[in-house]
PDB file of all heavy atoms in Angstrom:
ATOM      1  N   GLU A   1      15.748 -57.391  79.468  1.00  0.00           N
ATOM      2  CA  GLU A   1      14.605 -57.672  80.378  1.00  0.00           C
ATOM      3  C   GLU A   1      13.673 -58.694  79.751  1.00  0.00           C
ATOM      4  O   GLU A   1      13.224 -59.616  80.425  1.00  0.00           O
ATOM      5  CB  GLU A   1      13.900 -56.387  80.697  1.00  0.00           C
ATOM      6  CG  GLU A   1      12.813 -56.542  81.718  1.00  0.00           C
ATOM      7  CD  GLU A   1      12.153 -55.217  82.081  1.00  0.00           C
ATOM      8  OE1 GLU A   1      12.863 -54.227  82.256  1.00  0.00           O
ATOM      9  OE2 GLU A   1      10.905 -55.216  82.169  1.00  0.00           O
ATOM     10  N   ARG A   2      13.375 -58.557  78.465  1.00  0.00           N
ATOM     11  CA  ARG A   2      12.500 -59.462  77.743  1.00  0.00           C
ATOM     12  C   ARG A   2      13.128 -60.852  77.678  1.00  0.00           C
ATOM     13  O   ARG A   2      12.438 -61.876  77.801  1.00  0.00           O
ATOM     14  CB  ARG A   2      12.177 -58.936  76.359  1.00  0.00           C
ATOM     15  CG  ARG A   2      11.261 -59.818  75.573  1.00  0.00           C
ATOM     16  CD  ARG A   2       9.874 -59.949  76.184  1.00  0.00           C
ATOM     17  NE  ARG A   2       9.070 -60.812  75.358  1.00  0.00           N
ATOM     18  CZ  ARG A   2       8.176 -61.668  75.835  1.00  0.00           C
ATOM     19  NH1 ARG A   2       7.935 -61.685  77.122  1.00  0.00           N
ATOM     20  NH2 ARG A   2       7.483 -62.454  75.068  1.00  0.00           N
ATOM     21  N   ARG A   3      14.455 -60.922  77.494  1.00  0.00           N
ATOM     22  CA  ARG A   3      15.130 -62.211  77.470  1.00  0.00           C
ATOM     23  C   ARG A   3      14.968 -62.926  78.806  1.00  0.00           C
ATOM     24  O   ARG A   3      14.742 -64.123  78.863  1.00  0.00           O
ATOM     25  CB  ARG A   3      16.594 -62.036  77.151  1.00  0.00           C
ATOM     26  CG  ARG A   3      16.854 -61.649  75.726  1.00  0.00           C
ATOM     27  CD  ARG A   3      18.373 -61.476  75.449  1.00  0.00           C
ATOM     28  NE  ARG A   3      18.621 -60.863  74.193  1.00  0.00           N
ATOM     29  CZ  ARG A   3      18.635 -61.489  72.998  1.00  0.00           C
ATOM     30  NH1 ARG A   3      18.421 -62.771  72.982  1.00  0.00           N
ATOM     31  NH2 ARG A   3      18.845 -60.831  71.889  1.00  0.00           N
ATOM     32  N   LYS A   4      15.123 -62.179  79.889  1.00  0.00           N
ATOM     33  CA  LYS A   4      14.958 -62.788  81.241  1.00  0.00           C
ATOM     34  C   LYS A   4      13.536 -63.231  81.433  1.00  0.00           C
ATOM     35  O   LYS A   4      13.343 -64.311  82.030  1.00  0.00           O
ATOM     36  CB  LYS A   4      15.376 -61.723  82.322  1.00  0.00           C
ATOM     37  CG  LYS A   4      16.835 -61.518  82.372  1.00  0.00           C
ATOM     38  CD  LYS A   4      17.224 -60.455  83.406  1.00  0.00           C
ATOM     39  CE  LYS A   4      18.715 -60.217  83.423  1.00  0.00           C
ATOM     40  NZ  LYS A   4      19.076 -59.139  84.331  1.00  0.00           N
ATOM     41  N   ASP A   5      12.572 -62.471  80.972  1.00  0.00           N
ATOM     42  CA  ASP A   5      11.155 -62.891  81.056  1.00  0.00           C
ATOM     43  C   ASP A   5      10.932 -64.182  80.301  1.00  0.00           C
ATOM     44  O   ASP A   5      10.257 -65.092  80.767  1.00  0.00           O
ATOM     45  CB  ASP A   5      10.208 -61.802  80.521  1.00  0.00           C
ATOM     46  CG  ASP A   5      10.135 -60.600  81.459  1.00  0.00           C
ATOM     47  OD1 ASP A   5      10.535 -60.710  82.619  1.00  0.00           O
ATOM     48  OD2 ASP A   5       9.626 -59.564  80.982  1.00  0.00           O
ATOM     49  N   LEU A   6      11.493 -64.245  79.079  1.00  0.00           N
ATOM     50  CA  LEU A   6      11.335 -65.422  78.248  1.00  0.00           C
ATOM     51  C   LEU A   6      11.972 -66.625  78.930  1.00  0.00           C
ATOM     52  O   LEU A   6      11.427 -67.731  78.898  1.00  0.00           O
ATOM     53  CB  LEU A   6      11.902 -65.257  76.866  1.00  0.00           C
ATOM     54  CG  LEU A   6      11.121 -64.434  75.911  1.00  0.00           C
ATOM     55  CD1 LEU A   6      11.908 -64.187  74.609  1.00  0.00           C
ATOM     56  CD2 LEU A   6       9.812 -65.127  75.554  1.00  0.00           C
ATOM     57  N   ALA A   7      13.146 -66.450  79.524  1.00  0.00           N
ATOM     58  CA  ALA A   7      13.833 -67.514  80.221  1.00  0.00           C
ATOM     59  C   ALA A   7      12.967 -68.012  81.415  1.00  0.00           C
ATOM     60  O   ALA A   7      12.861 -69.248  81.645  1.00  0.00           O
ATOM     61  CB  ALA A   7      15.178 -67.082  80.723  1.00  0.00           C
ATOM     62  N   ARG A   8      12.359 -67.092  82.093  1.00  0.00           N
ATOM     63  CA  ARG A   8      11.446 -67.461  83.194  1.00  0.00           C
ATOM     64  C   ARG A   8      10.242 -68.277  82.681  1.00  0.00           C
ATOM     65  O   ARG A   8       9.838 -69.293  83.250  1.00  0.00           O
ATOM     66  CB  ARG A   8      10.988 -66.211  83.906  1.00  0.00           C
ATOM     67  CG  ARG A   8      10.615 -66.384  85.351  1.00  0.00           C
ATOM     68  CD  ARG A   8      10.337 -65.063  86.058  1.00  0.00           C
ATOM     69  NE  ARG A   8      11.457 -64.117  86.021  1.00  0.00           N
ATOM     70  CZ  ARG A   8      11.391 -62.912  85.474  1.00  0.00           C
ATOM     71  NH1 ARG A   8      10.248 -62.446  84.979  1.00  0.00           N
ATOM     72  NH2 ARG A   8      12.416 -62.128  85.444  1.00  0.00           N
ATOM     73  N   ILE A   9       9.690 -67.814  81.554  1.00  0.00           N
ATOM     74  CA  ILE A   9       8.543 -68.514  80.971  1.00  0.00           C
ATOM     75  C   ILE A   9       8.959 -69.935  80.564  1.00  0.00           C
ATOM     76  O   ILE A   9       8.204 -70.905  80.793  1.00  0.00           O
ATOM     77  CB  ILE A   9       8.025 -67.728  79.759  1.00  0.00           C
ATOM     78  CG1 ILE A   9       7.330 -66.440  80.222  1.00  0.00           C
ATOM     79  CG2 ILE A   9       7.065 -68.552  78.895  1.00  0.00           C
ATOM     80  CD1 ILE A   9       7.054 -65.429  79.111  1.00  0.00           C
ATOM     81  N   VAL A  10      10.109 -70.055  79.954  1.00  0.00           N
ATOM     82  CA  VAL A  10      10.568 -71.404  79.486  1.00  0.00           C
ATOM     83  C   VAL A  10      10.781 -72.307  80.701  1.00  0.00           C
ATOM     84  O   VAL A  10      10.412 -73.486  80.605  1.00  0.00           O
ATOM     85  CB  VAL A  10      11.874 -71.213  78.653  1.00  0.00           C
ATOM     86  CG1 VAL A  10      12.558 -72.511  78.456  1.00  0.00           C
ATOM     87  CG2 VAL A  10      11.550 -70.567  77.333  1.00  0.00           C
ATOM     88  N   ARG A  11      11.398 -71.789  81.738  1.00  0.00           N
ATOM     89  CA  ARG A  11      11.573 -72.616  82.965  1.00  0.00           C
ATOM     90  C   ARG A  11      10.237 -73.118  83.507  1.00  0.00           C
ATOM     91  O   ARG A  11      10.077 -74.242  83.909  1.00  0.00           O
ATOM     92  CB  ARG A  11      12.345 -71.865  84.041  1.00  0.00           C
ATOM     93  CG  ARG A  11      13.856 -71.782  83.692  1.00  0.00           C
ATOM     94  CD  ARG A  11      14.662 -71.296  84.896  1.00  0.00           C
ATOM     95  NE  ARG A  11      14.403 -69.899  85.217  1.00  0.00           N
ATOM     96  CZ  ARG A  11      15.000 -68.845  84.659  1.00  0.00           C
ATOM     97  NH1 ARG A  11      15.954 -69.055  83.736  1.00  0.00           N
ATOM     98  NH2 ARG A  11      14.714 -67.629  84.978  1.00  0.00           N
ATOM     99  N   LYS A  12       9.252 -72.227  83.515  1.00  0.00           N
ATOM    100  CA  LYS A  12       7.891 -72.557  84.015  1.00  0.00           C
ATOM    101  C   LYS A  12       7.295 -73.652  83.133  1.00  0.00           C
ATOM    102  O   LYS A  12       6.698 -74.633  83.649  1.00  0.00           O
ATOM    103  CB  LYS A  12       7.002 -71.312  84.054  1.00  0.00           C
ATOM    104  CG  LYS A  12       5.541 -71.535  84.232  1.00  0.00           C
ATOM    105  CD  LYS A  12       5.165 -71.667  85.716  1.00  0.00           C
ATOM    106  CE  LYS A  12       3.702 -71.692  85.879  1.00  0.00           C
ATOM    107  NZ  LYS A  12       3.076 -72.974  85.769  1.00  0.00           N
ATOM    108  N   GLN A  13       7.412 -73.477  81.818  1.00  0.00           N
ATOM    109  CA  GLN A  13       6.849 -74.495  80.891  1.00  0.00           C
ATOM    110  C   GLN A  13       7.568 -75.825  81.103  1.00  0.00           C
ATOM    111  O   GLN A  13       6.870 -76.862  81.133  1.00  0.00           O
ATOM    112  CB  GLN A  13       7.054 -74.034  79.445  1.00  0.00           C
ATOM    113  CG  GLN A  13       6.104 -72.988  78.970  1.00  0.00           C
ATOM    114  CD  GLN A  13       6.358 -72.606  77.544  1.00  0.00           C
ATOM    115  OE1 GLN A  13       7.464 -72.660  77.011  1.00  0.00           O
ATOM    116  NE2 GLN A  13       5.313 -72.170  76.863  1.00  0.00           N
ATOM    117  N   ALA A  14       8.866 -75.794  81.269  1.00  0.00           N
ATOM    118  CA  ALA A  14       9.611 -77.051  81.478  1.00  0.00           C
ATOM    119  C   ALA A  14       9.112 -77.744  82.769  1.00  0.00           C
ATOM    120  O   ALA A  14       8.911 -78.980  82.769  1.00  0.00           O
ATOM    121  CB  ALA A  14      11.077 -76.786  81.597  1.00  0.00           C
ATOM    122  N   GLU A  15       8.900 -76.955  83.812  1.00  0.00           N
ATOM    123  CA  GLU A  15       8.401 -77.569  85.088  1.00  0.00           C
ATOM    124  C   GLU A  15       7.001 -78.140  84.878  1.00  0.00           C
ATOM    125  O   GLU A  15       6.710 -79.254  85.384  1.00  0.00           O
ATOM    126  CB  GLU A  15       8.409 -76.507  86.217  1.00  0.00           C
ATOM    127  CG  GLU A  15       7.980 -77.082  87.554  1.00  0.00           C
ATOM    128  CD  GLU A  15       8.806 -78.303  87.996  1.00  0.00           C
ATOM    129  OE1 GLU A  15      10.001 -78.382  87.704  1.00  0.00           O
ATOM    130  OE2 GLU A  15       8.220 -79.195  88.647  1.00  0.00           O
ATOM    131  N   ASP A  16       6.167 -77.453  84.136  1.00  0.00           N
ATOM    132  CA  ASP A  16       4.826 -77.976  83.859  1.00  0.00           C
ATOM    133  C   ASP A  16       4.883 -79.309  83.149  1.00  0.00           C
ATOM    134  O   ASP A  16       4.145 -80.261  83.421  1.00  0.00           O
ATOM    135  CB  ASP A  16       4.025 -76.973  83.024  1.00  0.00           C
ATOM    136  CG  ASP A  16       3.644 -75.722  83.779  1.00  0.00           C
ATOM    137  OD1 ASP A  16       3.779 -75.749  85.057  1.00  0.00           O
ATOM    138  OD2 ASP A  16       3.228 -74.718  83.139  1.00  0.00           O
ATOM    139  N   PHE A  17       5.809 -79.426  82.203  1.00  0.00           N
ATOM    140  CA  PHE A  17       6.006 -80.712  81.451  1.00  0.00           C
ATOM    141  C   PHE A  17       6.604 -81.777  82.324  1.00  0.00           C
ATOM    142  O   PHE A  17       6.287 -82.964  82.172  1.00  0.00           O
ATOM    143  CB  PHE A  17       6.791 -80.470  80.158  1.00  0.00           C
ATOM    144  CG  PHE A  17       5.928 -79.870  79.071  1.00  0.00           C
ATOM    145  CD1 PHE A  17       5.938 -78.500  78.827  1.00  0.00           C
ATOM    146  CD2 PHE A  17       5.116 -80.669  78.291  1.00  0.00           C
ATOM    147  CE1 PHE A  17       5.163 -77.925  77.850  1.00  0.00           C
ATOM    148  CE2 PHE A  17       4.341 -80.123  77.282  1.00  0.00           C
ATOM    149  CZ  PHE A  17       4.344 -78.758  77.051  1.00  0.00           C
ATOM    150  N   ARG A  18       7.486 -81.444  83.235  1.00  0.00           N
ATOM    151  CA  ARG A  18       8.009 -82.409  84.184  1.00  0.00           C
ATOM    152  C   ARG A  18       6.864 -83.005  85.066  1.00  0.00           C
ATOM    153  O   ARG A  18       6.812 -84.191  85.317  1.00  0.00           O
ATOM    154  CB  ARG A  18       9.041 -81.769  85.135  1.00  0.00           C
ATOM    155  CG  ARG A  18      10.393 -81.535  84.515  1.00  0.00           C
ATOM    156  CD  ARG A  18      11.383 -81.076  85.587  1.00  0.00           C
ATOM    157  NE  ARG A  18      12.424 -80.323  84.968  1.00  0.00           N
ATOM    158  CZ  ARG A  18      12.610 -78.976  85.030  1.00  0.00           C
ATOM    159  NH1 ARG A  18      11.725 -78.225  85.695  1.00  0.00           N
ATOM    160  NH2 ARG A  18      13.597 -78.409  84.419  1.00  0.00           N
ATOM    161  N   ILE A  19       5.940 -82.091  85.417  1.00  0.00           N
ATOM    162  CA  ILE A  19       4.783 -82.552  86.254  1.00  0.00           C
ATOM    163  C   ILE A  19       3.963 -83.533  85.409  1.00  0.00           C
ATOM    164  O   ILE A  19       3.500 -84.545  85.932  1.00  0.00           O
ATOM    165  CB  ILE A  19       3.987 -81.316  86.731  1.00  0.00           C
ATOM    166  CG1 ILE A  19       4.794 -80.576  87.784  1.00  0.00           C
ATOM    167  CG2 ILE A  19       2.606 -81.776  87.271  1.00  0.00           C
ATOM    168  CD1 ILE A  19       4.204 -79.226  88.122  1.00  0.00           C
ATOM    169  N   VAL A  20       3.750 -83.238  84.134  1.00  0.00           N
ATOM    170  CA  VAL A  20       2.974 -84.160  83.295  1.00  0.00           C
ATOM    171  C   VAL A  20       3.655 -85.496  83.198  1.00  0.00           C
ATOM    172  O   VAL A  20       3.005 -86.571  83.302  1.00  0.00           O
ATOM    173  CB  VAL A  20       2.789 -83.517  81.877  1.00  0.00           C
ATOM    174  CG1 VAL A  20       2.101 -84.518  80.946  1.00  0.00           C
ATOM    175  CG2 VAL A  20       1.947 -82.249  81.981  1.00  0.00           C
ATOM    176  N   ILE A  21       4.974 -85.498  83.046  1.00  0.00           N
ATOM    177  CA  ILE A  21       5.736 -86.776  83.002  1.00  0.00           C
ATOM    178  C   ILE A  21       5.521 -87.526  84.319  1.00  0.00           C
ATOM    179  O   ILE A  21       5.269 -88.748  84.304  1.00  0.00           O
ATOM    180  CB  ILE A  21       7.242 -86.506  82.735  1.00  0.00           C
ATOM    181  CG1 ILE A  21       7.482 -85.946  81.355  1.00  0.00           C
ATOM    182  CG2 ILE A  21       8.083 -87.805  83.009  1.00  0.00           C
ATOM    183  CD1 ILE A  21       7.370 -86.922  80.236  1.00  0.00           C
ATOM    184  N   ARG A  22       5.612 -86.850  85.411  1.00  0.00           N
ATOM    185  CA  ARG A  22       5.448 -87.501  86.750  1.00  0.00           C
ATOM    186  C   ARG A  22       4.008 -88.043  86.896  1.00  0.00           C
ATOM    187  O   ARG A  22       3.812 -89.098  87.498  1.00  0.00           O
ATOM    188  CB  ARG A  22       5.767 -86.564  87.883  1.00  0.00           C
ATOM    189  CG  ARG A  22       7.256 -86.230  87.952  1.00  0.00           C
ATOM    190  CD  ARG A  22       7.569 -85.335  89.152  1.00  0.00           C
ATOM    191  NE  ARG A  22       8.865 -84.732  88.993  1.00  0.00           N
ATOM    192  CZ  ARG A  22       9.082 -83.448  88.899  1.00  0.00           C
ATOM    193  NH1 ARG A  22       8.108 -82.535  88.935  1.00  0.00           N
ATOM    194  NH2 ARG A  22      10.312 -82.985  88.758  1.00  0.00           N
ATOM    195  N   ASN A  23       3.058 -87.324  86.347  1.00  0.00           N
ATOM    196  CA  ASN A  23       1.677 -87.797  86.405  1.00  0.00           C
ATOM    197  C   ASN A  23       1.514 -89.085  85.558  1.00  0.00           C
ATOM    198  O   ASN A  23       0.779 -89.985  85.963  1.00  0.00           O
ATOM    199  CB  ASN A  23       0.732 -86.730  85.890  1.00  0.00           C
ATOM    200  CG  ASN A  23       0.549 -85.605  86.901  1.00  0.00           C
ATOM    201  OD1 ASN A  23       0.899 -85.721  88.085  1.00  0.00           O
ATOM    202  ND2 ASN A  23       0.067 -84.467  86.422  1.00  0.00           N
ATOM    203  N   VAL A  24       2.196 -89.145  84.425  1.00  0.00           N
ATOM    204  CA  VAL A  24       2.141 -90.356  83.623  1.00  0.00           C
ATOM    205  C   VAL A  24       2.745 -91.508  84.441  1.00  0.00           C
ATOM    206  O   VAL A  24       2.162 -92.607  84.467  1.00  0.00           O
ATOM    207  CB  VAL A  24       2.932 -90.182  82.293  1.00  0.00           C
ATOM    208  CG1 VAL A  24       3.127 -91.531  81.561  1.00  0.00           C
ATOM    209  CG2 VAL A  24       2.228 -89.183  81.367  1.00  0.00           C
ATOM    210  N   ARG A  25       3.855 -91.254  85.127  1.00  0.00           N
ATOM    211  CA  ARG A  25       4.468 -92.283  86.025  1.00  0.00           C
ATOM    212  C   ARG A  25       3.497 -92.738  87.041  1.00  0.00           C
ATOM    213  O   ARG A  25       3.293 -93.968  87.248  1.00  0.00           O
ATOM    214  CB  ARG A  25       5.706 -91.748  86.658  1.00  0.00           C
ATOM    215  CG  ARG A  25       6.336 -92.727  87.644  1.00  0.00           C
ATOM    216  CD  ARG A  25       7.408 -92.139  88.531  1.00  0.00           C
ATOM    217  NE  ARG A  25       6.873 -91.026  89.307  1.00  0.00           N
ATOM    218  CZ  ARG A  25       7.590 -90.150  89.908  1.00  0.00           C
ATOM    219  NH1 ARG A  25       8.897 -90.165  89.868  1.00  0.00           N
ATOM    220  NH2 ARG A  25       7.032 -89.159  90.607  1.00  0.00           N
ATOM    221  N   ARG A  26       2.881 -91.782  87.727  1.00  0.00           N
ATOM    222  CA  ARG A  26       1.898 -92.123  88.809  1.00  0.00           C
ATOM    223  C   ARG A  26       0.784 -92.988  88.292  1.00  0.00           C
ATOM    224  O   ARG A  26       0.450 -94.017  88.867  1.00  0.00           O
ATOM    225  CB  ARG A  26       1.359 -90.814  89.440  1.00  0.00           C
ATOM    226  CG  ARG A  26       0.412 -91.091  90.622  1.00  0.00           C
ATOM    227  CD  ARG A  26      -0.451 -89.929  90.951  1.00  0.00           C
ATOM    228  NE  ARG A  26      -1.328 -89.658  89.799  1.00  0.00           N
ATOM    229  CZ  ARG A  26      -1.595 -88.444  89.338  1.00  0.00           C
ATOM    230  NH1 ARG A  26      -1.116 -87.364  89.896  1.00  0.00           N
ATOM    231  NH2 ARG A  26      -2.382 -88.282  88.276  1.00  0.00           N
ATOM    232  N   ASP A  27       0.174 -92.567  87.133  1.00  0.00           N
ATOM    233  CA  ASP A  27      -0.944 -93.314  86.576  1.00  0.00           C
ATOM    234  C   ASP A  27      -0.494 -94.737  86.191  1.00  0.00           C
ATOM    235  O   ASP A  27      -1.255 -95.701  86.358  1.00  0.00           O
ATOM    236  CB  ASP A  27      -1.504 -92.595  85.386  1.00  0.00           C
ATOM    237  CG  ASP A  27      -2.136 -91.237  85.750  1.00  0.00           C
ATOM    238  OD1 ASP A  27      -2.417 -91.022  86.934  1.00  0.00           O
ATOM    239  OD2 ASP A  27      -2.387 -90.434  84.821  1.00  0.00           O
ATOM    240  N   SER A  28       0.671 -94.866  85.606  1.00  0.00           N
ATOM    241  CA  SER A  28       1.182 -96.189  85.182  1.00  0.00           C
ATOM    242  C   SER A  28       1.432 -97.093  86.362  1.00  0.00           C
ATOM    243  O   SER A  28       1.082 -98.283  86.322  1.00  0.00           O
ATOM    244  CB  SER A  28       2.459 -95.992  84.376  1.00  0.00           C
ATOM    245  OG  SER A  28       2.245 -95.258  83.212  1.00  0.00           O
ATOM    246  N   VAL A  29       2.033 -96.534  87.402  1.00  0.00           N
ATOM    247  CA  VAL A  29       2.260 -97.354  88.614  1.00  0.00           C
ATOM    248  C   VAL A  29       0.942 -97.740  89.267  1.00  0.00           C
ATOM    249  O   VAL A  29       0.761 -98.891  89.719  1.00  0.00           O
ATOM    250  CB  VAL A  29       3.175 -96.567  89.651  1.00  0.00           C
ATOM    251  CG1 VAL A  29       3.210 -97.268  90.963  1.00  0.00           C
ATOM    252  CG2 VAL A  29       4.571 -96.442  89.053  1.00  0.00           C
ATOM    253  N   GLU A  30      -0.018 -96.880  89.287  1.00  0.00           N
ATOM    254  CA  GLU A  30      -1.328 -97.216  89.858  1.00  0.00           C
ATOM    255  C   GLU A  30      -1.986 -98.340  89.029  1.00  0.00           C
ATOM    256  O   GLU A  30      -2.613 -99.242  89.597  1.00  0.00           O
ATOM    257  CB  GLU A  30      -2.247 -95.964  89.852  1.00  0.00           C
ATOM    258  CG  GLU A  30      -1.948 -95.004  90.953  1.00  0.00           C
ATOM    259  CD  GLU A  30      -2.812 -93.728  90.905  1.00  0.00           C
ATOM    260  OE1 GLU A  30      -3.745 -93.645  90.075  1.00  0.00           O
ATOM    261  OE2 GLU A  30      -2.537 -92.828  91.726  1.00  0.00           O
ATOM    262  N   GLU A  31      -1.817 -98.281  87.723  1.00  0.00           N
ATOM    263  CA  GLU A  31      -2.390 -99.338  86.878  1.00  0.00           C
ATOM    264  C   GLU A  31      -1.684-100.665  87.184  1.00  0.00           C
ATOM    265  O   GLU A  31      -2.364-101.700  87.204  1.00  0.00           O
ATOM    266  CB  GLU A  31      -2.227 -98.958  85.384  1.00  0.00           C
ATOM    267  CG  GLU A  31      -2.796 -99.967  84.427  1.00  0.00           C
ATOM    268  CD  GLU A  31      -4.266-100.225  84.572  1.00  0.00           C
ATOM    269  OE1 GLU A  31      -5.033 -99.307  84.951  1.00  0.00           O
ATOM    270  OE2 GLU A  31      -4.725-101.379  84.348  1.00  0.00           O
ATOM    271  N   LEU A  32      -0.362-100.634  87.330  1.00  0.00           N
ATOM    272  CA  LEU A  32       0.357-101.895  87.681  1.00  0.00           C
ATOM    273  C   LEU A  32      -0.119-102.438  89.045  1.00  0.00           C
ATOM    274  O   LEU A  32      -0.303-103.646  89.209  1.00  0.00           O
ATOM    275  CB  LEU A  32       1.861-101.614  87.737  1.00  0.00           C
ATOM    276  CG  LEU A  32       2.581-101.420  86.398  1.00  0.00           C
ATOM    277  CD1 LEU A  32       4.011-101.001  86.640  1.00  0.00           C
ATOM    278  CD2 LEU A  32       2.535-102.733  85.581  1.00  0.00           C
TER     279      LEU A  32
END
């Protein structure tokens, strides 16, 4: 059960970091 919880946490963290990457893209394109 704890392993499944950790896997869920890791997936959430990965999605948060994907969003940060997309935000960097958005900001860079706006600057261009």
Side-chain angles (χ1 to χ4, degrees):
E1 187 176 316
R2 180 65 180 143
R3 288 179 192 278
K4 288 178 182 175
D5 288 344
L6 281 173
R8 207 172 303 120
I9 290 168
V10 167
R11 283 192 293 273
K12 168 85 171 85
Q13 285 180 330
E15 184 55 35
D16 291 345
F17 281 96
R18 284 187 204 104
I19 290 168
V20 173
I21 293 285
R22 290 183 196 118
N23 288 342
V24 170
R25 175 192 59 196
R26 183 198 64 222
D27 294 345
S28 298
V29 168
E30 283 176 6
E31 181 60 32
L32 285 173

